[in-house]
Amino acid sequence: MASTLTAPPTVDDRVSSRSLGARLLSRPEVGSLVGAVVVLVFFLIVAPPFRELATTGTILYQSALIGVMAVPVALLMIGGEFDLSAGVAVTTAGLTAGLFSYQFSTNVWVGVAVSLVVMICIGAFNGWLLMRTGLPSFLVTLGTFFILQGLNLGVTRVLSGTVSSNSISDMDGFSSAQAVFASEFKLGPLNVKILVVWWIVFVALGTWVLLKTKVGNWIFAVGGDAAAARAVGVPVKRVKIGLFITVGVFAWFSGMHLLFNQAVVQSGEGVGKEFIYIIAAVVGGCLLTGGYGSVVGSAIGALIFGMTQLGVVYAGWNADWFKAFLGVMLLLATIVNLAVKRRADLR
């Protein structure tokens, strides 16, 4: 029988292989992917309920609650800006739809549409004020944070007499809106929330925009060096305002899930969530300096958050350790991201 000989790899083959490996290792999300595997294995060992298949649906849902907002926050950070009002903006969106529908006795879809317009305006205002004044986005959105927090509490108390919106569960359009924003379905032994499906869709869409479109190139450019980007014709103002509007639109969507999942919205919700969104993006590979990051990485960061949040509970530990873990995770992720970025710059 004749034997088949295989030619040894050429120098070009070996260089190509090393180049491919270098490109993979320089991806922004590589550190978070390794971290996710470590967290998964760790809680599989120390938390027996973590091993049950039915638990997966709960973990994915907890991750999606953060992951949906982590998508626009990651895009904004890659574009070189922050939005500290993102957490309370979600609450504002839910309150606007709920209070408007109840006070004017309209179909809830009218309230949903009004809420979308309001959130687009808030995002546009943040972006416009940033570009108009030249102030850091940290200060601009911190001001918006306090404005929205005060309005959420004050307006809700005036209109409903309490600190939460009125229930709209018996109003026209509630069932259909709930099916879009807050339904669930069975997938074998898993109860899957529709928010998880939307999260996957948003991550895919955000990744496509970032890596396959001209707008994605613009986002990287304005985040890396806005002056240089402007010099080569990138519409810096439009890109940055558009990114803030994107945050507003996603805050609207998350607010609709909040409203139609509970039928009411607590006006004090959302405070502190903006930092969780930022942590998910940073853990996923986004640099605080802008110009570098990944939407897929933000999803992995949110997944780490979801696994850790529930893993601590399933392991029977004091929940106070969770915040300590977040701090350590943020510091480690920042160091890893810088190392990966420097490795990519040396290629």
Side-chain angles (χ1 to χ4, degrees):
M1 180 182 297
S3 60
T4 302
L5 297 178
T6 303
T10 65
V11 173
D12 288 342
D13 291 335
R14 291 194 292 268
V15 170
S16 176
S17 178
R18 286 198 296 269
S19 298
L20 177 60
R23 287 198 298 270
L24 291 175
L25 289 176
S26 64
R27 288 294 306 160
E29 61 271 12
V30 67
S32 61
L33 183 59
V34 173
V37 173
V38 171
V39 170
L40 175 62
V41 172
F42 176 74
F43 283 114
L44 284 174
I45 295 172
V46 303
F50 210 80
R51 305 166 199 160
E52 298 175 6
L53 185 58
T55 303
T56 304
T58 306
I59 294 172
L60 289 175
Y61 176 59
Q62 290 299 320
S63 302
L65 287 171
I66 301 301
V68 167
M69 281 303 297
V71 170
V73 168
L75 291 173
L76 184 64
M77 289 181 66
I78 294 169
E81 306 296 344
F82 295 92
D83 191 342
L84 295 183
S85 66
V88 293
V90 172
T91 306
T92 300
L95 287 171
T96 300
L99 291 172
F100 185 93
S101 300
Y102 186 87
Q103 295 298 321
F104 291 95
S105 299
T106 67
N107 186 294
V108 298
W109 281 105
V110 177
V112 168
V114 170
S115 177
L116 176 58
V117 172
V118 169
M119 298 315 298
I120 289 174
C121 290
I122 290 173
F125 172 77
N126 281 337
W128 172 83
L129 189 60
L130 172 76
M131 301 308 298
R132 180 72 176 178
T133 63
L135 290 170
S137 55
F138 174 88
L139 291 178
V140 171
T141 57
L142 183 61
T144 307
F145 165 87
F146 285 116
I147 292 171
L148 294 181
Q149 185 183 17
L151 288 174
N152 289 348
L153 291 167
V155 173
T156 302
R157 193 181 293 274
V158 167
L159 294 180
S160 71
T162 66
V163 295
S164 66
S165 63
N166 307 97
S167 176
I168 61 170
S169 60
D170 59 348
M171 297 187 67
D172 291 341
F174 181 85
S175 297
S176 59
Q178 187 179 54
V180 173
F181 296 108
S183 60
E184 63 180 69
F185 58 93
K186 294 285 289 185
L187 187 63
L190 302 181
N191 283 323
V192 180
K193 294 278 191 178
I194 194 68
L195 187 68
V196 175
V197 178
W198 282 116
W199 176 36
I200 295 171
V201 171
F202 292 150
V203 169
L205 180 61
T207 300
W208 175 76
V209 169
L210 194 62
L211 300 181
K212 299 295 184 180
T213 70
K214 180 170 62 177
V215 173
N217 290 333
W218 289 349
I219 292 172
F220 279 114
V222 300
D225 189 333
R230 187 178 290 108
V232 297
V234 175
V236 174
K237 182 177 180 180
R238 279 191 292 157
V239 170
K240 294 207 173 190
I241 292 176
L243 288 172
F244 277 103
I245 291 175
T246 301
V247 174
V249 171
F250 275 74
W252 163 79
F253 187 92
S254 295
M256 294 309 95
H257 172 75
L258 183 66
L259 174 63
F260 293 108
N261 191 52
Q262 305 173 7
V264 299
V265 177
Q266 299 294 324
S267 58
E269 289 189 52
V271 178
K273 289 289 183 65
E274 59 281 340
F275 295 111
I276 303 300
Y277 305 148
I278 292 173
I279 288 173
V282 172
V283 169
C286 292
L287 290 181
L288 299 175
T289 52
Y292 187 78
S294 163
V295 173
V296 171
S298 75
I300 299 173
L303 184 60
I304 292 175
F305 178 93
M307 289 192 295
T308 304
Q309 188 178 39
L310 291 176
V312 168
V313 175
Y314 292 150
W317 299 341
N318 190 318
D320 294 340
W321 289 106
F322 174 65
K323 291 295 179 69
F325 176 84
L326 281 182
V328 172
M329 186 168 62
L330 178 61
L331 290 174
L332 290 177
T334 304
I335 295 170
V336 170
N337 292 345
L338 284 173
V340 172
K341 176 64 165 57
R342 288 169 182 164
R343 182 185 181 90
D345 289 341
L346 291 174
R347 287 195 299 114

